[in-house]
């Protein structure tokens, strides 16, 4: 069963999220510190049967909503499920940037369309 926590939750796994973010920061392509990430985004941590999977965060840039994520290895199917679930929390178009094949695969499987070399969109409005 998928469980979601946010930074304001009493049992939010801050340490695990911070360590995973620091480990994967170069691949994520986000220049913010983890503290800035907590303050400037809609941040979610995901678990499956009490096993920490990873994090997904949404942020505004140029009047558009973007999504980014990072996760533990060997959790692709669970992360795909979490990612698809999180897209339903917003009723606007969602953008994403990625150069990494596994992230691009996840975006495409979740309904995103490529609109530029490393830019993708999940269209909610037409």
């Amino acid at each position: 069963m998928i469980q979601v926590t946010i930074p304001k939750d009493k049992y939010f796994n801050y340490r695990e999220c911070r360590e995973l973010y620091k480990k994967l920061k170069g691949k994520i392509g986000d220049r913010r510190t983890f503290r800035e990430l907590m303050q400037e985004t809609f941040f979610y941590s995901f678990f499956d049967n009490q096993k920490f999977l990873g994090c997904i965060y949404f942020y505004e840039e140029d009047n558009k909503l973007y999504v980014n994520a990072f996760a533990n290895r060997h959790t692709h199917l669970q992360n795909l499920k979490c990612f698809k679930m999180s897209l339903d929390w917003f009723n606007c178009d969602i953008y994403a940037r990625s150069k990494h094949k596994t992230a691009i695969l996840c975006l495409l499987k979740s309904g995103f369309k490529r609109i530029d070399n490393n830019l993708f969109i999940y269209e909610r409005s037409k």
Side-chain angles (χ1 to χ4, degrees), residues 97-123:
R97 293 185 187 103
S98 186
K99 300 176 188 177
H100 303 285
K101 289 180 183 179
T102 54
I104 291 170
L105 181 62
C106 187
L107 290 170
L108 295 174
K109 283 184 174 182
S110 298
F112 278 77
K113 295 176 185 171
R114 187 185 299 263
I115 57 174
D116 201 358
N117 192 28
N118 297 319
L119 183 63
F120 300 83
I121 186 171
Y122 182 77
E123 293 182 293

Side-chain angles (χ1 to χ4, degrees), residues 5-7 11-24 28 34 37-38 43-47 52-56 70 72:
T5 62
I6 62 172
Y11 298 107
F12 179 74
N13 58 324
Y14 183 88
R15 188 179 97 295
E16 285 179 296
C17 293
R18 185 185 69 225
E19 288 174 9
L20 187 59
Y21 180 71
K22 286 182 178 183
K23 178 180 174 183
L24 300 175
I28 297 168
F34 187 72
L37 201 68
M38 294 286 99
F43 193 92
Y44 306 93
S45 174
F46 292 83
F47 293 83
F52 174 49
L53 299 173
C55 304
I56 298 172
F70 54 97
N72 285 305

Side-chain angles (χ1 to χ4, degrees), residues 24-41:
L24 300 175
K25 188 174 180 179
K27 293 180 181 180
I28 297 168
D30 200 312
R31 295 181 181 180
R32 290 177 268 226
T33 66
F34 187 72
R35 185 176 199 181
E36 291 169 335
L37 201 68
M38 294 286 99
Q39 296 171 343
E40 299 171 4
T41 71

